[in-house]
Amino acid sequence: MDKEYFLEITWGTIIYVYFKSNKGEIEEFVVKLIAQFEDAWYEVLRYDSGHGCPHKDILNTKGEVIRKVWYDFLDNGQALTMAITDIKENHEFYQERYRKWLKGQ
């Protein structure tokens, strides 16, 4: 079963959530922090289960992965929950860092 939805954190800040489950087990997932700066929307951060292991991709202002943080000690269900919680609790930090990167272009 595939499920996809958006969570609005604040105006101009959303979390995109997608996951595929089978019999209650999360087979794959993607969680993105998407934020608006000026008049454009940017994918700031992404968690996913690609490469066979849950991880976080830190993205630069061109959308390129500049760092991966691996969570090989978590299963996909745990990582999905952690990703949503992390973005809800730390979105201001991630957005401020990204805003500085945009100014540095």
Side-chain angles (χ1 to χ4, degrees), residues 56-73:
K56 172 170 60 174
D57 292 327
I58 298 170
L59 307 171
N60 68 14
T61 57
K62 296 176 186 172
E64 302 163 334
V65 177
I66 56 172
R67 184 171 167 224
K68 283 190 184 290
V69 179
W70 298 96
Y71 298 101
D72 54 351
F73 53 91

Side-chain angles (χ1 to χ4, degrees), residues 1-7 16-22 25-31 80 84:
M1 178 173 123
D2 290 16
K3 186 161 185 179
E4 176 181 55
Y5 60 92
F6 293 91
L7 298 169
Y16 166 80
V17 179
Y18 163 82
F19 63 89
K20 184 178 199 171
S21 64
N22 184 17
E25 296 292 319
I26 303 298
E27 294 182 334
E28 59 186 72
F29 74 92
V30 177
V31 178
L80 171 63
I84 294 168

Side-chain angles (χ1 to χ4, degrees), residues 29-41:
F29 74 92
V30 177
V31 178
K32 299 178 182 183
L33 170 60
I34 303 170
Q36 185 176 21
F37 299 97
E38 302 295 324
D39 291 329
W41 288 88

